[in-house]
Amino acid sequence: MTDPALLSGSDLPRETPLAARHRALGASFTDFGGWSMPVRYTSDLAEHHAVRTTAGLFDISHMAEFTVVGAHAGAFLDYALAGRLSTLPVGKAKYSLLLAESGGIVDDLIVYRLGDEEFFVVANAGNRGPVSAALFERAGGFEVTVTDDTDAFALIAVQGPVARSVLAATHGLGEEERSLDELPYYAATRAQFDGAPVLIARTGYTGEDGYELYVGNDRADDLWEALTAAGAPLGLVPAGLAARDTLRLEAGMPLYGHELSLDIVPAQAGLGRVVAVGKDDFVGKAALESVVATEAPVLVGLVSEGRRAGRAGYAVLGPDGEVVGEVTSGALSPTLGHPIALAFVAPALSAVGTELALDVRGTRIPATVSPLPFYRRTK
């Protein structure tokens, strides 16, 4: 299914059902994946720290959603994706990859199993077109129906230590198949919001406990208001994409277009475990099996001292000042107080503790290869 905005020929970014709400809150906007999205409401740091200490409320309705239904739904996803989805228990979620025949990454996504023959696939906004094309094409020969439901849902995320308390206090939200207290990480439950169906997932992209709520577009504003009313006394604040990016970087999570692309195979990005190599067949398997040994760059974490951070595109330097890699994401960590970065470097220089350097606008900044994630919450 093609993006309606493209069908209309419009070059203008799309808006979520909550756009008016964001403008009323004074948000600044950015064009992200073809959508006009709130990048901040007050300050990046304040919103980042709120998620680490209380909770942040995110509009991530730009994400793409697909429903897969049919007797062959599990077998189809086993073939279409890198992971093994047919054995996923009902109510659970799994992180997976959509690969090209070359083994490169078309997108990373989360798959929820909602029934024996029903799956819900969530992809990145900017990759809706390629993911849609791949899923529809790969469905041939399977008894399965694939539906692009992106335009049917709004997606609101509550992330932070008090996220569960916020949901528990939200007026009109309840009637879950499983209680929030019993909902494990990487799982989902059907629920109701004031009579409307809601899917509550617990997956997260910030390194904190949190929930994502999928609701029909016509109820998104009411749900946002109810969450805000319940969460404000607990410290919940609206948070934009800028905070979401520094949070995910601290959590060591890859971002498509930075750490993931068609030119990167899963093992390079540290995602070899996501690929179920024991499956009989899946798109990209032949290409991955043909790789015996490679000198291709691999993804590492880098930490530095001081306040100057490497940014995407900055060179990584070896012991003799030679270029040995490139930063894909970097920031001065708001939580840790020192610069962190993700970078692709030569495999021989990827061991934890290896001393490298960053070329920060002509200045050589010492950096050390670090374990990932940079930040891990206390449970």
Side-chain angles (χ1 to χ4, degrees):
M1 183 178 292
T2 304
D3 187 323
L6 298 179
L7 285 174
S8 69
S10 172
D11 292 328
L12 296 175
R14 302 183 63 191
E15 291 188 333
T16 79
L18 294 162
R21 174 77 59 174
H22 303 320
R23 281 192 286 270
L25 289 169
S28 301
F29 290 83
T30 187
D31 186 352
F32 186 88
W35 292 73
S36 179
M37 299 300 296
V39 66
R40 70 182 60 81
Y41 300 84
T42 55
S43 83
D44 302 349
L45 285 178
E47 292 164 20
H48 180 110
H49 288 309
V51 175
R52 289 281 181 252
T53 56
T54 53
L57 184 63
F58 297 89
D59 176 13
I60 49 175
S61 300
H62 58 317
M63 302 294 282
E65 294 95 6
F66 302 87
T67 301
V68 178
V69 177
H72 293 167
F76 158 66
L77 290 173
D78 281 353
Y79 170 72
L81 306 182
R84 191 186 299 277
L85 286 309
S86 60
T87 58
L88 186 66
V90 174
K92 290 288 289 181
K94 191 178 186 71
Y95 178 82
S96 195
L97 298 170
L98 182 75
L99 302 180
E101 291 283 0
S102 65
I105 300 170
V106 178
D107 200 12
D108 64 332
L109 14 76
I110 295 178
V111 182
Y112 301 92
R113 189 164 198 166
L114 303 183
D116 290 337
E117 299 181 356
E118 181 181 2
F119 293 80
F120 191 60
V121 180
V122 182
N124 286 297
N127 285 334
R128 177 186 177 185
V131 171
S132 178
L135 291 179
F136 279 97
E137 179 185 348
R138 297 174 190 184
F142 291 94
E143 188 178 325
V144 68
T145 299
V146 180
T147 307
D148 184 340
D149 288 326
T150 303
D151 295 330
F153 292 105
L155 176 52
I156 300 172
V158 183
Q159 297 284 306
V162 304
R164 188 183 310 181
S165 298
V166 172
L167 265 63
T170 299
H171 180 71
L173 185 64
E175 300 182 32
E176 304 95 350
E177 291 178 336
R178 282 191 288 181
S179 73
L180 297 179
D181 289 338
E182 297 172 345
L183 191 68
Y185 189 51
Y186 259 72
T189 183
R190 298 181 198 269
Q192 297 281 324
F193 170 66
D194 199 18
V198 177
L199 180 69
I200 301 177
R202 188 182 178 193
T203 48
Y205 191 62
T206 61
E208 294 298 335
D209 192 15
Y211 300 86
E212 296 76 45
L213 296 93
Y214 298 83
V215 65
N217 288 332
D218 61 331
R219 303 307 305 274
D221 195 68
D222 292 338
L223 179 56
W224 179 280
E225 184 176 15
L227 290 166
T228 299
L234 299 170
L236 176 76
V237 301
L241 293 188
R244 190 170 171 83
D245 190 52
T246 49
L247 290 160
R248 72 92 192 167
L249 178 58
E250 289 180 347
M253 297 178 176
L255 177 65
Y256 200 90
H258 288 248
E259 287 75 40
L260 308 177
S261 76
L262 279 171
D263 297 324
I264 299 296
V265 299
Q268 283 182 263
L271 297 175
R273 68 188 185 283
V274 177
V275 182
V277 294
K279 291 191 299 184
D280 291 339
D281 191 23
F282 62 90
V283 178
K285 180 176 182 178
L288 296 183
E289 288 181 338
S290 69
V291 178
V292 177
T294 178
E295 291 300 315
V298 295
L299 189 66
V300 298
L302 294 171
V303 297
S304 306
E305 297 181 353
R307 309 291 291 177
R308 302 187 66 181
R311 303 292 182 181
Y314 285 15
V316 181
L317 308 177
D320 298 322
E322 74 279 22
V323 176
V324 298
E326 182 176 300
V327 173
T328 52
S329 299
L332 176 62
S333 166
T335 304
L336 304 173
H338 58 73
I340 59 175
L342 294 173
F344 280 100
V345 303
L349 298 171
S350 64
V352 171
T354 302
E355 300 291 336
L356 299 172
L358 302 178
D359 184 346
V360 180
R361 297 182 177 180
T363 301
R364 183 185 173 94
I365 305 294
T368 304
V369 177
S370 165
L372 293 173
F374 300 107
Y375 164 85
R376 192 184 302 274
R377 69 185 171 93
T378 302
K379 298 182 180 179

